[in-house]
Amino acid sequence: MLDVGDDAPEFELPNQDGDIVRRSDFEGRRVVVYFYPRANTEGCTTEACEFRDESPTFDERDVAILGISDDPVDDLAAFAEEYELPFDLLSDEAGEVATLYESYGEKQMFGNTFDGVFRNTYVVGPDGRIEAVYEGVSPEGHAEEILADLQDATA
């Protein structure tokens, strides 16, 4: 995992609308970069909907939210529309950005081994450095956990 204080790797990925989003687009503000395995699965839907429900609070604190998976853009578009997600979902089909963020690699499920995205989250500060790291997170309550940590950090 990247560590607190590390420079957040730059990236350039298409969002659910096919528009290019860069990490550097958020210089000067905090951004939550959360990696999730697959759109429209139970855990990923729970996590995305909690970020959606808490998005007004993130907005009040001027914190952007970016979700990244290896889903294709069309799948992200359908996911964002179905659940009315008000933030960008980014398509990292080759897992290159997830690899830069140490959030991609070999996984096992149902006796099968494959490469995929790990459920990790980073908070990137206004200066482009990692401020917080969450590894192997539980989807339920994760958005609230980040908000509480942000509150504690700025108190």
Side-chain angles (χ1 to χ4, degrees):
M1 293 293 296
L2 298 172
D3 291 321
V4 171
D6 288 349
D7 287 330
E10 178 59 56
F11 58 77
E12 181 176 293
L13 292 170
N15 70 5
Q16 68 271 18
D17 300 317
D19 299 328
I20 297 299
V21 175
R22 296 168 187 80
R23 193 214 33 91
S24 57
D25 293 343
F26 300 93
E27 292 289 334
R29 49 185 305 216
R30 279 190 178 82
V31 60
V32 172
V33 179
Y34 83 94
F35 292 89
Y36 63 98
R38 184 74 50 221
N40 264 328
T41 58
E42 184 177 351
C44 296
T45 300
T46 296
E47 187 173 27
C49 289
E50 288 190 6
F51 276 115
R52 176 201 63 205
D53 295 347
E54 295 294 345
S55 66
T57 306
F58 282 100
D59 289 344
E60 287 171 11
R61 297 182 185 177
D62 196 31
V63 178
I65 301 167
L66 299 175
I68 301 178
S69 73
D70 59 0
D71 292 300
V73 169
D74 289 346
D75 289 357
L76 297 179
F79 185 49
E81 183 178 343
E82 180 174 354
Y83 294 101
E84 299 178 6
L85 303 177
F87 49 84
D88 284 319
L89 300 176
L90 307 181
S91 175
D92 182 25
E93 287 191 76
E96 293 172 357
V97 171
T99 298
L100 289 174
Y101 280 79
E102 299 178 24
S103 297
Y104 191 85
E106 189 173 280
K107 300 171 74 168
Q108 290 190 353
M109 185 182 297
F110 306 118
N112 297 316
T113 301
F114 58 95
D115 285 338
V117 177
F118 304 137
R119 194 181 304 278
N120 297 329
T121 301
Y122 294 90
V123 177
V124 179
D127 62 356
R129 294 186 184 275
I130 304 291
E131 290 187 339
V133 176
Y134 303 84
E135 183 176 9
V137 302
S138 172
E140 193 168 329
H142 184 48
E144 290 175 354
E145 174 186 25
I146 293 170
L147 285 170
D149 289 349
L150 287 172
Q151 182 70 27
D152 291 345
T154 58

